[in-house]
């Protein structure tokens, strides 16, 4: 599969039509695979909870648009708040194991390539960080 503007445009249209304002295109065939590789179209207003992966690193590379990535300490204080924008030469970030993080789309049509170790594990209660007055980026 060639990743081109047609793929990104179709995925973006699906994200805009989705109540979650995001849509994945998985390259892995199963949620049990050892490596999860996928495109993630994320629109402004998508609510992505602050979460962590205790045993997994996660890499984000922005293919187009602008994405804000925020990492947090256990008490909810911000470790780092950065904007990824390929037009400005800031392409991606690797989030370490057990680091609280979230992403926010700052521009319509933003698409990220993500990679992390499988298999997929649903976020458990300790996998989502609740911060007073945090309502995502809506």
């Amino acid at each position: 599969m060639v990743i081109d503007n047609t793929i990104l445009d179709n995925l973006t249209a699906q994200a805009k039509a989705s109540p979650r304002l995001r849509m994945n295109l998985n390259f892995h065939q199963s949620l049990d695979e050892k490596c999860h590789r996928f495109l993630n179209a994320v629109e402004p207003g998508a609510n992505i909870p602050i979460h962590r992966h205790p045993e997994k690193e996660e890499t984000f590379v922005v293919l187009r648009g602008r994405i804000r990535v925020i990492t947090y300490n256990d008490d909810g204080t911000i470790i780092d708040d950065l904007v990824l924008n390929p037009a400005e030469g800031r392409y991606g970030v690797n989030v370490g194991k057990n680091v609280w993080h979230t992403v926010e789309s700052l521009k319509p049509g933003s698409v990220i390539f993500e990679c992390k170790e499988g298999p997929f594990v649903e976020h458990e209660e300790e996998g989502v960080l609740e911060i007073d007055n945090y309502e995502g980026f809506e």
Side-chain angles (χ1 to χ4, degrees), residues 10 25 33 43-45 59 63 73-74 103 111 115:
N10 287 338
L25 174 62
E33 284 191 26
E43 288 298 301
T59 302
L63 300 181
N73 288 308
D74 287 342
V103 299
V111 180
C115 185

Side-chain angles (χ1 to χ4, degrees), residues 48-137:
I48 300 172
I50 300 169
H51 65 284
R52 65 181 172 185
H53 309 285
E55 303 298 325
K56 303 173 186 183
E57 294 183 10
E58 186 168 21
T59 302
F60 302 105
V61 177
V62 178
L63 300 181
R64 72 174 182 196
R66 292 179 67 224
I67 297 289
R68 180 180 181 200
V69 180
I70 306 171
T71 55
Y72 300 85
N73 288 308
D74 287 342
D75 65 3
T77 58
I78 293 174
I79 298 170
D80 204 1
D81 184 345
L82 58 100
V83 174
L84 304 177
N85 182 349
E88 296 173 355
R90 186 172 268 183
Y91 302 98
V93 64
N94 188 70
V95 177
K97 294 177 184 179
N98 210 34
V99 175
W100 296 108
H101 63 282
T102 188
V103 299
E104 173 191 14
S105 173
L106 300 175
K107 183 176 181 182
S110 294
V111 180
I112 310 165
F113 174 79
E114 293 188 39
C115 185
K116 64 184 166 196
E117 183 180 343
F120 175 76
V121 177
E122 189 71 39
H123 296 302
E124 297 175 3
E125 194 169 307
E126 68 271 7
V128 175
L129 181 63
E130 299 293 335
I131 297 177
D132 289 340
N133 301 322
Y134 177 78
E135 297 178 15
F137 299 104

Side-chain angles (χ1 to χ4, degrees), residues 7-17 41 43 64 108-111:
I7 296 285
L8 301 185
D9 291 344
N10 287 338
L11 194 59
T12 293
Q14 292 175 50
K16 287 179 179 180
E43 288 298 301
R64 72 174 182 196
S110 294
V111 180

Side-chain angles (χ1 to χ4, degrees), residues 15-29:
K16 287 179 179 180
S18 168
R20 293 173 29 144
L21 294 174
R22 56 187 167 131
M23 186 61 62
N24 288 1
L25 174 62
N26 294 343
F27 299 122
H28 51 282
Q29 301 301 308

